[in-house]
Amino acid sequence: MTIQNKIALIFTVLSAGIILALSIYIYIFASESISGSFYHRLEVRAGIVGHAALEENKSKTSVYYDFKEKHLGDLPFENHHVIHNVNSARARNIKARLHLPESFYSQISFDTPARFFRRDTSYVGMKIAKGDKNVLVLSTAVDVFGLAEMENLKNLLVTGFLISMFFVFTFGKLFSAQIFRPIRLIIRNVKGINAHNLHQRLVPNDSNDDISDLSQTFNDMLDRLEITFEVQNNFVSNASHELKTPLTVISGEAQIGLSIPGLPQNAIDSFNTIYRESERLEHLTNSMLSLAQTGFDGKKEQWEELRIDELILDVKEAVDKIIPSNNVAINFDHLPDDDQKLILNGNKTLLKAAFSNIVLNSCKYSDNKPVNVIIRADQTYAIVEITDEGIGIPDREINQIFVLFFRASNTENYKGYGIGLPLAHNIIRMHQGKVDVHSRVDEGTRFVTYLPFK
């Protein structure tokens, strides 16, 4: 998950928590207010019923009920129970029928109106006294309109919560996108800078904020990288001329010395040693220069579109010239149906050198046994598998084969300098690819190279 999406998600979660807490508060406050109002109305009616029950003059009793009917009206499912004697059988019967908790009756005994709610029914208990007489009034009713209002309020709050979450997440995405727009711009520009255009720089904004500091930091890093590449470029260019000249002179002088007639055998042996070692040193120098060139800025080597299958055919042609009796076979059975997955953007010369080194190594260390090359592709990479039946690589050493000058412990009978595979590895990485190696001693080695297709 990107940081932009994380910020939008965190913003949404925090907003959801705040809105949910506010909704719960509103719902509880409204519920308390509506139920309190209903309890009060029920208590007023219970009081009227209680006073009517205590009225000795029965002719006045109807006055209470007439007042209640005209000015208050009945509540939905309103019912009143008047108990003159708490210990009477009627009281026990009503208590058993209503199933109210003992705390409800305990509160009434302290001359405090008791309230209780179960399911959708509200209960009110009051002790009404007049003179030395008192009665216990238990009233029940259902707040149909209040419950409907609370249900509507709940639906309104849930709908409002969902709608608000949609807008919060949408605006959070827009907000985070706007905040990260300069960073995305930096990322896009940095991705466009590679070994070909190290001179390119980011354009800092004038806001003098952290984004501007980040752009300036990248520019400072690019300045240092460009200087390092230029130093390396100059060194390799100069070394290619300065080293080849004396080596050519030494080799030529050794050949002239060998052509002198009448030389004693020890002098001939010395000249042969000088010539052989100068040739070896020249080959080693050329390999080192090729390895160093894989880190160049690409100004001298042109990158282009190329097909991986055609490149492997060129590699096979080059190997045929070096080892005419090779047993390299190219398998085209796994080529992708989409030809676009075979097209790479790279330097043909360097890639040809990389694959040639791997194939020649497979031929050399397998004593020219069959070498199978398979070309295929997945959703991201063009893949080349090179499998031999050679001596293999010991497990403890397989992680070191791309280290410069390293040679496996079982290669003492084969000539080499430990440069070919590091060179190939550098070239593959230079093309944003990777190399996997699978090997078993005395069974063979399989190199799997991955290069992103265009």
Side-chain angles (χ1 to χ4, degrees):
M1 182 183 293
T2 63
I3 296 179
Q4 176 183 330
N5 289 335
K6 285 183 180 179
I7 290 178
L9 184 60
I10 292 173
F11 179 71
T12 303
V13 171
L14 291 177
S15 301
I18 295 172
I19 296 174
L20 183 62
L22 180 61
S23 299
I24 293 175
Y25 173 77
I26 292 174
Y27 184 82
I28 293 175
F29 180 81
S31 177
E32 293 288 338
S33 177
I34 292 175
S35 62
S37 175
F38 186 75
Y39 277 127
H40 176 70
R41 292 161 61 194
L42 186 58
E43 287 170 354
V44 171
R45 287 163 175 76
I48 293 175
V49 172
H51 283 92
L54 290 173
E55 184 61 46
E56 295 180 356
N57 188 351
K58 299 303 179 184
S59 62
K60 294 183 179 180
T61 302
S62 60
V63 176
Y64 288 95
Y65 288 104
D66 289 341
F67 176 81
K68 174 178 173 293
E69 184 68 25
K70 291 179 180 178
H71 299 282
L72 298 179
D74 291 333
L75 297 175
F77 303 99
E78 181 180 335
N79 194 11
H80 301 278
H81 305 278
V82 180
I83 304 174
H84 291 273
N85 187 354
V86 177
N87 296 319
S88 66
R90 171 178 166 77
R92 290 192 294 273
N93 184 36
I94 292 175
K95 288 182 178 181
R97 187 149 40 96
L98 295 179
H99 298 292
L100 295 174
E102 285 300 323
S103 58
F104 180 83
Y105 298 105
S106 300
Q107 188 175 355
I108 299 174
S109 64
F110 291 103
D111 295 331
T112 303
R115 296 176 177 180
F116 183 72
F117 182 84
R118 182 170 56 203
R119 296 186 179 91
D120 58 350
T121 304
S122 299
Y123 297 84
V124 168
M126 299 178 65
K127 181 184 285 187
I128 307 297
K130 185 177 182 181
D132 57 348
K133 296 181 180 181
N134 60 74
V135 294
L136 183 65
V137 181
L138 300 178
S139 301
T140 65
V142 177
D143 189 5
V144 175
F145 301 105
L147 293 175
E149 287 182 7
M150 291 306 301
E151 184 66 23
N152 291 334
L153 179 61
K154 182 177 70 173
N155 294 334
L156 180 64
L157 290 175
V158 171
T159 304
F161 176 79
L162 296 177
I163 294 175
S164 63
M165 285 302 95
F166 171 76
F167 282 106
V168 165
F169 183 75
T170 301
F171 287 121
K173 287 279 288 183
L174 295 176
F175 172 75
S176 59
Q178 185 66 24
I179 292 297
F180 277 87
R181 183 174 175 275
I183 297 179
R184 290 199 307 273
L185 204 59
I186 291 175
I187 292 173
R188 185 167 65 247
N189 290 336
V190 170
K191 284 183 177 180
I193 299 174
N194 50 42
H196 301 274
N197 55 357
L198 274 177
H199 60 279
Q200 184 175 325
R201 295 292 180 270
L202 303 178
V203 181
N205 54 37
D206 298 328
S207 57
N208 293 324
D209 55 8
D210 294 338
I211 303 300
S212 178
D213 292 340
L214 180 62
S215 300
Q216 189 58 48
T217 302
F218 272 115
N219 287 339
D220 294 340
M221 180 189 67
L222 291 171
D223 288 338
R224 295 192 295 271
L225 285 176
E226 187 175 20
I227 292 172
T228 302
F229 270 79
E230 287 297 332
V231 170
Q232 182 182 357
N233 190 6
N234 292 332
F235 166 76
V236 175
S237 298
N238 293 330
S240 62
H241 294 288
E242 298 298 330
L243 293 176
K244 284 184 178 181
T245 301
L247 287 175
T248 302
V249 172
I250 293 172
S251 177
E253 291 295 326
Q255 289 180 348
I256 293 174
L258 288 172
S259 64
I260 298 175
L263 284 178
Q265 186 59 41
N266 59 350
I268 294 175
D269 292 341
S270 296
F271 278 121
N272 279 326
T273 301
I274 293 172
Y275 177 73
R276 184 175 61 254
E277 292 302 317
S278 65
E279 289 291 320
R280 180 173 178 272
L281 184 57
E282 184 176 3
H283 175 78
L284 187 60
T285 302
N286 289 334
S287 298
M288 289 291 295
L289 293 175
S290 297
L291 184 64
Q293 284 175 347
T294 61
F296 276 4
D297 58 7
K299 293 177 181 177
K300 293 183 178 180
E301 302 291 347
Q302 296 298 319
W303 287 44
E304 59 185 341
E305 289 186 8
L306 53 93
R307 287 178 60 103
I308 189 66
D309 51 346
E310 295 177 356
L311 176 68
I312 297 302
L313 288 174
D314 291 342
V315 170
K316 177 66 167 66
E317 185 179 345
V319 172
D320 289 340
K321 293 179 181 179
I322 299 173
I323 309 176
S325 60
N326 71 81
N327 290 303
V328 177
I330 303 176
N331 187 341
F332 295 102
D333 294 340
H334 302 279
L335 289 178
D337 296 331
D338 185 2
D339 289 347
Q340 295 299 315
K341 292 186 177 182
L342 298 174
I343 299 177
L344 313 177
N345 185 32
N347 181 272
K348 185 175 182 179
T349 303
L350 293 178
L351 286 175
K352 182 178 177 181
F355 285 109
S356 296
N357 277 324
I358 296 175
V359 174
L360 288 172
N361 265 15
S362 296
C363 294
K364 178 169 67 174
Y365 293 111
S366 66
D367 296 317
N368 223 16
K369 291 179 181 177
V371 176
N372 189 33
V373 181
I374 298 176
I375 305 171
R376 57 186 178 87
D378 60 13
Q379 298 302 317
T380 306
Y381 297 99
I383 304 172
V384 179
E385 297 183 15
I386 302 172
T387 307
D388 63 52
E389 301 175 6
I391 61 175
I393 305 169
D395 290 341
R396 65 181 182 276
E397 299 174 358
I398 198 166
N399 291 328
Q400 304 180 58
I401 61 174
F402 297 128
V403 176
L404 188 60
F405 298 125
F406 174 81
R407 302 194 71 214
S409 57
N410 57 347
T411 60
E412 63 273 2
N413 296 327
Y414 299 88
K415 184 179 180 180
Y417 304 102
I419 295 177
L421 286 182
L423 174 62
H425 188 235
N426 277 10
I427 292 173
I428 298 298
R429 289 198 307 169
M430 182 181 179
H431 289 76
Q432 286 78 50
K434 59 182 180 179
V435 183
D436 289 341
V437 184
H438 310 273
S439 184
R440 294 179 66 88
V441 174
D442 297 329
E443 292 185 13
T445 303
R446 179 164 61 99
F447 288 87
V448 185
T449 64
Y450 298 84
L451 288 168
F453 51 77
K454 188 178 178 187

